Amino acid sequence: MKVRFEPWGAWVKLESTAAMVALDRSGVLALGLDGGAQWEPDAGPTAPIEVHLAVTQKCAAGCEGCYLDATPDGLEPARDVLLARLDALRDAGVLTVAFGGGEPTTRDDLGTLAEEARKRGLTPVLTTSGLGLSPAKVERLRGFAQVNVSYDGTREDYREVRGFDGAKGAEAAIGLLSRAGIRVGINVVLTQATFDGLPATLRRARSLGAAEAQLLRYKPAGRAATMDYLSRRLDPAQVTRLGETLRALTQEHAPTGFSIRIDCAMVPLLSADPVLYRSADAMAKAGIFGCEGGQALASVKVDGRVAPCSFVESTPLTAETFREGHERDPELTRWRAFPVAPPEPCGSCALAAVCKGGCKAVSRFVDGVHGPDPECPRVRAYRAARIA
Amino acid sequence: MTEPRRPVEDREVRAVRPGHGANCSSIGSVVDTLFVTALVGGAVFAAVVGALGREPIEVVGKTPDAPPAPDKPKDSPEPSSSEEPPA
């Protein structure tokens, strides 16, 4: 297992079980370790545990909501450039690298990059559209701990999110990966039009061999940063039903070993659920992450620049300067500072320590500020009360 | 000063994040243990604690003797994620 000291103890990434564990200092001492200088009060922030690495900007799919604005002739870094970025992430203490793009499987050397990540002690995972994935290409993906296929639902639901019907291609990819013995999950972008189809989407994916579904909030970035966003995001009634929906989906699928995962941007929406709103401790114990931009999470974009997350603009830092520069970078510092003293209504929210103010990509687009998530039910209620 | 290795106790585990997650745009968290029975959640927890006692250890990132950053802003309000414990 890999142990990374943190001011409060350590993150431990297990090898025999796919899990990360946060131990307090006493728990770290139980392992026969001591954090030393990293437990001193003046120890700086540590690096993210997970980094999203764009390995290409090339993609022919042309999804309407692509957060990267990927194109068929997008940038593609040379392999040596990416290897240097992997070196830098290893040196910083990053544990997991999520390969993305663009469409990563357009790279012939993707399997080599996964092997190189492993050699550096990093756990590589991958997101792909799955379109055009052949048995030969699947063989190159064996180095990844998990491969997620973008799958927003059958035919019309897929078309609704991406602007074309790629459901069959994605379904074929899920089946190929599963039959090859590669752990495969799906990424499901939730929009107003596809929310009601979610149960059917997950059943279909599970029947094809998927082991997990990650539910993603639709975000206003890249080609989705238009006024259309406002009509495609979940509506308030759907947000209110999100907790009960997750409860029902989990109870249906968990006994089969199929996991449900939510993305960081979904956490504020859970405040509408009265039970979950009182479950902050349980959510923290379950390792649920809200906005971790610039903290547990960072993104290395295709040009090598580092951003707090994939949906916002880059900082001047590069992957190579990240290790030395992330403690002092003003933008990353601002992101880390927000959850320390959040404004109302986050300041009085029971979920604040987990949620950390919600999705800043959304607040920046909708409100024009780095502030509380305007689509959080508590934020909406707070603002409505102030107007009234 | 280090102590001899001993079993990690439940109360020393602040959080468990199951799985790898494989999304390249936003960080994901498994919610199963929020909703499933305590029995299933307990099994996950027991597997994790068992692995903590068995697996060989490799320290990554900043080592215990690494000095703090020389130019850390003194007036910054941030204690950073790392100082924000996950539980």
Side-chain angles (χ1 to χ4, degrees):
Chain A
M1 62 189 170
K2 292 184 171 58
V3 177
R4 208 186 77 170
F5 293 113
E6 305 287 343
W8 39 264
W11 275 113
V12 178
K13 186 170 181 60
L14 297 171
E15 306 288 350
S16 62
T17 302
M20 299 238 340
V21 186
L23 293 180
D24 66 13
R25 291 184 180 188
S26 172
V28 179
L29 293 171
L31 298 179
L33 300 171
D34 188 306
Q38 305 316 321
W39 287 353
E40 296 296 327
D42 59 350
T46 51
I49 55 175
E50 180 170 319
V51 165
H52 298 156
L53 179 66
V55 297
T56 182
Q57 198 178 25
K58 287 184 180 172
C59 181
C63 300
E64 285 179 353
C66 178
Y67 67 89
L68 194 74
D69 197 14
T71 58
D73 56 356
L75 287 173
E76 188 159 285
R79 187 191 308 175
D80 286 351
V81 171
L82 290 175
L83 294 181
R85 289 175 191 169
L86 291 175
D87 285 341
L89 298 178
R90 171 203 58 202
D91 294 345
V94 171
L95 297 169
T96 299
V97 179
F99 285 53
E103 175 48 55
T105 60
T106 58
R107 292 192 69 109
D108 291 337
D109 60 355
L110 193 58
T112 303
L113 289 170
E115 287 171 19
E116 292 291 337
R118 294 245 184 218
K119 283 182 192 170
R120 288 159 175 78
L122 300 162
T123 299
V125 293
L126 176 73
T127 292
T128 173
S129 69
L131 304 180
L133 202 61
S134 62
K137 278 190 172 181
V138 165
E139 286 305 309
R140 296 183 205 144
L141 306 183
R142 291 196 178 279
F144 290 97
Q146 183 168 322
V147 176
N148 271 23
V149 176
S150 299
Y151 180 65
D152 308 306
T154 53
R155 303 195 61 140
E156 286 310 309
D157 282 352
Y158 192 107
R159 184 196 302 277
E160 165 59 31
V161 174
R162 294 178 190 269
F164 63 96
D165 179 11
K168 276 195 171 176
E171 291 177 355
I174 295 166
L176 272 176
L177 289 159
S178 173
R179 288 193 295 278
I182 296 170
R183 182 175 166 83
V184 55
I186 59 167
N187 291 332
V188 188
V189 176
L190 294 180
T191 68
Q192 205 170 112
T194 63
F195 182 80
D196 290 342
L198 184 57
T201 299
L202 299 200
R203 282 182 207 122
R204 176 71 178 145
R206 199 180 92 198
S207 75
L208 294 166
E212 182 176 283
Q214 173 151 336
L215 312 183
L216 302 157
R217 192 167 154 198
Y218 190 65
K219 300 180 193 71
R223 287 199 284 268
T226 70
M227 293 307 285
D228 280 351
Y229 167 76
L230 301 176
S231 62
R232 302 185 82 175
R233 62 184 177 181
L234 297 180
D235 67 32
Q238 290 169 327
V239 169
T240 300
R241 286 162 42 211
L242 182 61
E244 69 187 64
T245 301
L246 290 176
R247 198 172 282 115
L249 291 172
T250 300
Q251 286 165 357
E252 176 182 347
H253 294 284
T256 70
F258 183 93
S259 288
I260 312 283
R261 191 178 280 268
I262 59 171
D263 84 343
C264 38
M266 303 273 279
V267 174
L269 310 186
L270 301 181
S271 66
D273 186 282
V275 175
L276 291 174
Y277 185 68
R278 294 192 301 272
S279 305
D281 288 347
M283 290 171 72
K285 192 90 175 172
I288 290 175
F289 280 166
C291 178
E292 288 288 343
Q295 303 177 75
L297 172 68
S299 169
V300 177
K301 301 206 175 183
V302 73
D303 61 359
R305 301 265 296 277
V306 173
C309 81
S310 298
F311 298 103
V312 296
E313 57 274 24
S314 303
T315 69
L317 291 176
T318 65
E320 289 78 6
T321 60
F322 179 70
R323 183 185 184 195
E324 302 304 323
H326 80 101
E327 297 186 29
R328 296 183 298 278
D329 178 77
E331 185 64 5
L332 294 180
T333 299
R334 182 158 79 117
W335 280 66
R336 289 190 290 262
F338 186 88
V340 178
E344 285 299 317
C346 300
S348 59
C349 179
L351 297 183
V354 175
C355 168
K356 299 189 175 179
C359 184
K360 307 306 180 297
V362 173
S363 74
R364 287 169 169 223
F365 179 78
V366 174
D367 290 342
V369 297
H370 189 90
D373 191 324
E375 294 167 18
C376 164
R378 283 191 88 252
V379 173
R380 280 194 284 107
Y382 176 80
R383 291 180 178 178
R386 285 171 68 90
I387 291 169
Chain B
M1 179 71 75
T2 57
E3 302 172 359
R5 192 168 176 176
R6 62 167 171 79
V8 172
E9 297 177 24
D10 290 0
R11 63 177 173 79
E12 295 168 328
V13 177
R14 306 188 73 102
V16 176
R17 281 178 55 79
H20 291 297
N23 181 251
C24 65
S25 63
S26 49
I27 198 163
S29 307
V30 170
V31 294
D32 301 2
T33 50
L34 275 181
F35 301 116
V36 296
T37 63
L39 187 65
V40 176
V44 171
F45 201 79
V48 162
V49 171
L52 286 170
R54 285 193 309 272
E55 293 190 13
I57 295 169
E58 177 190 358
V59 174
V60 299
K62 290 181 180 175
T63 54
D65 54 351
D71 298 326
K72 186 190 174 197
K74 296 296 180 195
D75 55 350
S76 167
E78 65 144 318
S80 89
S81 77
S82 335
E83 291 163 31
E84 284 277 326

mmCIF file of all heavy atoms in Angstrom, chain B residues 2-22:
data_model
loop_
_atom_site.group_PDB
_atom_site.id
_atom_site.type_symbol
_atom_site.label_atom_id
_atom_site.label_comp_id
_atom_site.label_asym_id
_atom_site.label_seq_id
_atom_site.Cartn_x
_atom_site.Cartn_y
_atom_site.Cartn_z
ATOM 1 N N THR B 2 8.855 6.417 15.878
ATOM 2 C CA THR B 2 7.814 5.519 15.398
ATOM 3 C C THR B 2 7.544 4.414 16.398
ATOM 4 O O THR B 2 8.393 4.073 17.226
ATOM 5 C CB THR B 2 8.215 4.878 14.058
ATOM 6 O OG1 THR B 2 9.456 4.204 14.232
ATOM 7 C CG2 THR B 2 8.359 5.927 12.977
ATOM 8 N N GLU B 3 6.343 3.868 16.294
ATOM 9 C CA GLU B 3 5.933 2.770 17.176
ATOM 10 C C GLU B 3 5.972 1.475 16.379
ATOM 11 O O GLU B 3 5.927 1.494 15.153
ATOM 12 C CB GLU B 3 4.499 3.012 17.656
ATOM 13 C CG GLU B 3 4.302 4.320 18.399
ATOM 14 C CD GLU B 3 2.827 4.594 18.668
ATOM 15 O OE1 GLU B 3 1.977 3.770 18.264
ATOM 16 O OE2 GLU B 3 2.547 5.641 19.266
ATOM 17 N N PRO B 4 6.017 0.330 17.067
ATOM 18 C CA PRO B 4 5.902 -0.932 16.338
ATOM 19 C C PRO B 4 4.539 -1.001 15.646
ATOM 20 O O PRO B 4 3.545 -0.468 16.149
ATOM 21 C CB PRO B 4 6.003 -2.000 17.441
ATOM 22 C CG PRO B 4 6.555 -1.302 18.622
ATOM 23 C CD PRO B 4 6.183 0.139 18.508
ATOM 24 N N ARG B 5 4.506 -1.665 14.498
ATOM 25 C CA ARG B 5 3.252 -1.774 13.745
ATOM 26 C C ARG B 5 2.236 -2.589 14.550
ATOM 27 O O ARG B 5 2.583 -3.618 15.142
ATOM 28 C CB ARG B 5 3.517 -2.445 12.398
ATOM 29 C CG ARG B 5 2.368 -2.358 11.424
ATOM 30 C CD ARG B 5 2.807 -2.782 10.034
ATOM 31 N NE ARG B 5 1.687 -2.788 9.106
ATOM 32 C CZ ARG B 5 1.792 -3.035 7.813
ATOM 33 N NH1 ARG B 5 2.970 -3.288 7.284
ATOM 34 N NH2 ARG B 5 0.723 -3.021 7.025
ATOM 35 N N ARG B 6 1.034 -2.121 14.582
ATOM 36 C CA ARG B 6 -0.053 -2.801 15.284
ATOM 37 C C ARG B 6 -1.322 -2.681 14.446
ATOM 38 O O ARG B 6 -1.373 -1.868 13.512
ATOM 39 C CB ARG B 6 -0.271 -2.175 16.676
ATOM 40 C CG ARG B 6 -0.681 -0.718 16.620
ATOM 41 C CD ARG B 6 -1.196 -0.200 17.955
ATOM 42 N NE ARG B 6 -1.388 1.243 17.944
ATOM 43 C CZ ARG B 6 -2.421 1.873 17.416
ATOM 44 N NH1 ARG B 6 -3.382 1.195 16.823
ATOM 45 N NH2 ARG B 6 -2.512 3.201 17.449
ATOM 46 N N PRO B 7 -2.360 -3.434 14.741
ATOM 47 C CA PRO B 7 -3.605 -3.316 13.957
ATOM 48 C C PRO B 7 -4.215 -1.917 14.079
ATOM 49 O O PRO B 7 -4.216 -1.332 15.165
ATOM 50 C CB PRO B 7 -4.530 -4.373 14.578
ATOM 51 C CG PRO B 7 -3.606 -5.333 15.251
ATOM 52 C CD PRO B 7 -2.430 -4.535 15.732
ATOM 53 N N VAL B 8 -4.713 -1.412 12.963
ATOM 54 C CA VAL B 8 -5.413 -0.128 12.971
ATOM 55 C C VAL B 8 -6.790 -0.347 13.575
ATOM 56 O O VAL B 8 -7.483 -1.325 13.269
ATOM 57 C CB VAL B 8 -5.539 0.419 11.531
ATOM 58 C CG1 VAL B 8 -6.428 1.645 11.491
ATOM 59 C CG2 VAL B 8 -4.156 0.744 10.970
ATOM 60 N N GLU B 9 -7.185 0.548 14.464
ATOM 61 C CA GLU B 9 -8.507 0.439 15.087
ATOM 62 C C GLU B 9 -9.542 1.215 14.266
ATOM 63 O O GLU B 9 -9.206 2.191 13.587
ATOM 64 C CB GLU B 9 -8.448 0.975 16.514
ATOM 65 C CG GLU B 9 -7.507 0.156 17.398
ATOM 66 C CD GLU B 9 -7.398 0.735 18.801
ATOM 67 O OE1 GLU B 9 -8.331 1.445 19.229
ATOM 68 O OE2 GLU B 9 -6.380 0.466 19.456
ATOM 69 N N ASP B 10 -10.779 0.772 14.387
ATOM 70 C CA ASP B 10 -11.865 1.405 13.612
ATOM 71 C C ASP B 10 -11.904 2.912 13.815
ATOM 72 O O ASP B 10 -12.111 3.679 12.871
ATOM 73 C CB ASP B 10 -13.222 0.814 14.027
ATOM 74 C CG ASP B 10 -13.368 -0.630 13.558
ATOM 75 O OD1 ASP B 10 -12.422 -1.149 12.931
ATOM 76 O OD2 ASP B 10 -14.420 -1.225 13.831
ATOM 77 N N ARG B 11 -11.719 3.344 15.054
ATOM 78 C CA ARG B 11 -11.841 4.771 15.355
ATOM 79 C C ARG B 11 -10.731 5.593 14.710
ATOM 80 O O ARG B 11 -10.815 6.819 14.632
ATOM 81 C CB ARG B 11 -11.834 4.986 16.874
ATOM 82 C CG ARG B 11 -10.540 4.552 17.527
ATOM 83 C CD ARG B 11 -10.495 4.827 19.025
ATOM 84 N NE ARG B 11 -9.296 4.242 19.609
ATOM 85 C CZ ARG B 11 -8.097 4.793 19.520
ATOM 86 N NH1 ARG B 11 -7.941 5.938 18.902
ATOM 87 N NH2 ARG B 11 -7.051 4.189 20.070
ATOM 88 N N GLU B 12 -9.684 4.939 14.239
ATOM 89 C CA GLU B 12 -8.569 5.647 13.608
ATOM 90 C C GLU B 12 -8.776 5.829 12.101
ATOM 91 O O GLU B 12 -7.989 6.484 11.438
ATOM 92 C CB GLU B 12 -7.261 4.885 13.860
ATOM 93 C CG GLU B 12 -6.902 4.875 15.345
ATOM 94 C CD GLU B 12 -5.782 3.896 15.695
ATOM 95 O OE1 GLU B 12 -5.680 2.833 15.037
ATOM 96 O OE2 GLU B 12 -5.024 4.188 16.648
ATOM 97 N N VAL B 13 -9.842 5.225 11.593
ATOM 98 C CA VAL B 13 -10.171 5.359 10.163
ATOM 99 C C VAL B 13 -11.141 6.518 9.998
ATOM 100 O O VAL B 13 -12.270 6.470 10.470
ATOM 101 C CB VAL B 13 -10.788 4.061 9.611
ATOM 102 C CG1 VAL B 13 -11.192 4.249 8.147
ATOM 103 C CG2 VAL B 13 -9.805 2.903 9.754
ATOM 104 N N ARG B 14 -10.693 7.544 9.319
ATOM 105 C CA ARG B 14 -11.541 8.725 9.137
ATOM 106 C C ARG B 14 -12.485 8.548 7.958
ATOM 107 O O ARG B 14 -13.602 9.048 7.975
ATOM 108 C CB ARG B 14 -10.674 9.963 8.899
ATOM 109 C CG ARG B 14 -9.629 10.214 9.958
ATOM 110 C CD ARG B 14 -8.980 11.556 9.730
ATOM 111 N NE ARG B 14 -9.905 12.609 10.096
ATOM 112 C CZ ARG B 14 -9.832 13.295 11.242
ATOM 113 N NH1 ARG B 14 -8.895 13.013 12.109
ATOM 114 N NH2 ARG B 14 -10.701 14.229 11.511
ATOM 115 N N ALA B 15 -12.027 7.901 6.923
ATOM 116 C CA ALA B 15 -12.847 7.741 5.724
ATOM 117 C C ALA B 15 -12.346 6.584 4.890
ATOM 118 O O ALA B 15 -11.156 6.276 4.907
ATOM 119 C CB ALA B 15 -12.821 9.026 4.880
ATOM 120 N N VAL B 16 -13.269 5.972 4.176
ATOM 121 C CA VAL B 16 -12.923 4.930 3.206
ATOM 122 C C VAL B 16 -13.559 5.308 1.878
ATOM 123 O O VAL B 16 -14.768 5.528 1.803
ATOM 124 C CB VAL B 16 -13.447 3.549 3.647
ATOM 125 C CG1 VAL B 16 -13.150 2.502 2.566
ATOM 126 C CG2 VAL B 16 -12.825 3.135 4.970
ATOM 127 N N ARG B 17 -12.734 5.395 0.857
ATOM 128 C CA ARG B 17 -13.241 5.667 -0.501
ATOM 129 C C ARG B 17 -13.075 4.400 -1.328
ATOM 130 O O ARG B 17 -11.967 4.098 -1.777
ATOM 131 C CB ARG B 17 -12.455 6.821 -1.160
ATOM 132 C CG ARG B 17 -12.899 8.185 -0.691
ATOM 133 C CD ARG B 17 -12.079 9.302 -1.321
ATOM 134 N NE ARG B 17 -12.041 9.281 -2.768
ATOM 135 C CZ ARG B 17 -13.008 9.713 -3.563
ATOM 136 N NH1 ARG B 17 -14.121 10.199 -3.052
ATOM 137 N NH2 ARG B 17 -12.867 9.669 -4.873
ATOM 138 N N PRO B 18 -14.175 3.667 -1.528
ATOM 139 C CA PRO B 18 -14.060 2.409 -2.281
ATOM 140 C C PRO B 18 -13.859 2.660 -3.777
ATOM 141 O O PRO B 18 -14.310 3.668 -4.311
ATOM 142 C CB PRO B 18 -15.417 1.719 -2.037
ATOM 143 C CG PRO B 18 -16.149 2.566 -1.058
ATOM 144 C CD PRO B 18 -15.530 3.921 -1.077
ATOM 145 N N GLY B 19 -13.202 1.704 -4.415
ATOM 146 C CA GLY B 19 -13.090 1.721 -5.863
ATOM 147 C C GLY B 19 -12.015 2.648 -6.382
ATOM 148 O O GLY B 19 -11.321 3.313 -5.618
ATOM 149 N N HIS B 20 -11.888 2.666 -7.701
ATOM 150 C CA HIS B 20 -10.872 3.502 -8.337
ATOM 151 C C HIS B 20 -11.472 4.793 -8.867
ATOM 152 O O HIS B 20 -10.863 5.840 -8.796
ATOM 153 C CB HIS B 20 -10.232 2.755 -9.507
ATOM 154 C CG HIS B 20 -9.377 1.610 -9.086
ATOM 155 N ND1 HIS B 20 -8.247 1.778 -8.317
ATOM 156 C CD2 HIS B 20 -9.482 0.281 -9.308
ATOM 157 C CE1 HIS B 20 -7.680 0.607 -8.095
ATOM 158 N NE2 HIS B 20 -8.420 -0.316 -8.682
ATOM 159 N N GLY B 21 -12.660 4.701 -9.415
ATOM 160 C CA GLY B 21 -13.189 5.870 -10.112
ATOM 161 C C GLY B 21 -12.433 6.007 -11.411
ATOM 162 O O GLY B 21 -11.234 5.776 -11.455
ATOM 163 N N ALA B 22 -13.121 6.324 -12.478
ATOM 164 C CA ALA B 22 -12.414 6.404 -13.755
ATOM 165 C C ALA B 22 -12.972 7.515 -14.610
ATOM 166 O O ALA B 22 -12.953 7.433 -15.828
ATOM 167 C CB ALA B 22 -12.499 5.068 -14.484
#
